[in-house]
Amino acid sequence: RLNCSHRRGGDFERVYPLIRKAAQELGRKVECLGDLQGPKFRVGELAADPIELKNGDILEFGICKDDNDNIREGRITMKPTIEQKALIAASKPGIDLLLEDGIMKVNVVEKLSDTELKVKVVRGGKLKARKGVNVPDVEIDCAALTAKDIEDAEFLLQLDPPIEYI
């Protein structure tokens, strides 16, 4: 499995031939999977130190209004990507947003606009920058393949021999 989330300059070009060489030396048929990253949903940057989310707190949760609109007490922000705008637009009251692999959870109490929500902290914790956001109960209207995924798939198909599965 070649994880495209971690594709960095030269890594796959170095590792893929080693996999093929080892398989040939062992007389084994080895098939490889190129695992595309897909859309990522993450909170933005912090204005200062990580913030404490306390159970019962009501916060703003929205798309950054500008480069200085960072996470701070009372406000969680996300960068204005197509995917993240779609996540906020699809959210509605009653929906849970899971932060940092579900360690923290907030519930949408009010939709202020297509870019702004009011949320209540259900399960608190210390929120750091760039932590993942998961919304299991929302169908998000965005492409399953990002521009990076398409670039990665094209790269994987140009390997010699081309990767078997994407």
Side-chain angles (χ1 to χ4, degrees), residues 57-134:
D57 281 357
I58 302 292
L59 314 167
E60 297 173 359
F61 193 112
I63 299 298
C64 295
K65 295 176 178 139
D66 58 45
D67 290 342
N68 296 316
D69 187 16
N70 294 318
I71 298 169
R72 57 188 177 278
E73 288 294 328
R75 180 159 174 78
I76 299 172
T77 58
M78 300 176 82
K79 293 188 185 239
T81 66
I82 292 168
E83 295 85 8
Q84 298 196 146
K85 286 179 182 177
L87 182 150
I88 298 293
S91 296
K92 54 187 175 227
I95 293 296
D96 289 327
L97 306 175
L98 305 177
L99 310 175
E100 195 175 344
D101 297 322
I103 293 172
M104 291 164 274
K105 178 164 79 170
V106 298
N107 181 268
V108 178
V109 293
E110 185 180 351
K111 184 168 185 169
L112 303 171
S113 72
D114 276 350
T115 59
E116 293 291 324
L117 307 170
K118 191 175 282 192
V119 299
K120 181 178 182 177
V121 178
V122 176
R123 187 171 48 247
K126 196 167 282 266
L127 184 62
K128 300 175 205 121
R130 299 177 302 281
K131 292 301 177 184
V133 178
N134 188 295

Side-chain angles (χ1 to χ4, degrees), residues 129-165:
R130 299 177 302 281
K131 292 301 177 184
V133 178
N134 188 295
V135 192
D137 298 324
V138 173
E139 188 171 316
I140 300 168
D141 185 19
C142 68
L145 291 177
T146 66
K148 181 186 181 312
D149 292 331
I150 293 168
E151 177 186 311
D152 287 341
E154 288 171 348
F155 168 81
L156 293 168
L157 292 172
Q158 291 174 8
L159 291 171
D160 185 26
I163 200 157
E164 288 82 6
Y165 304 99

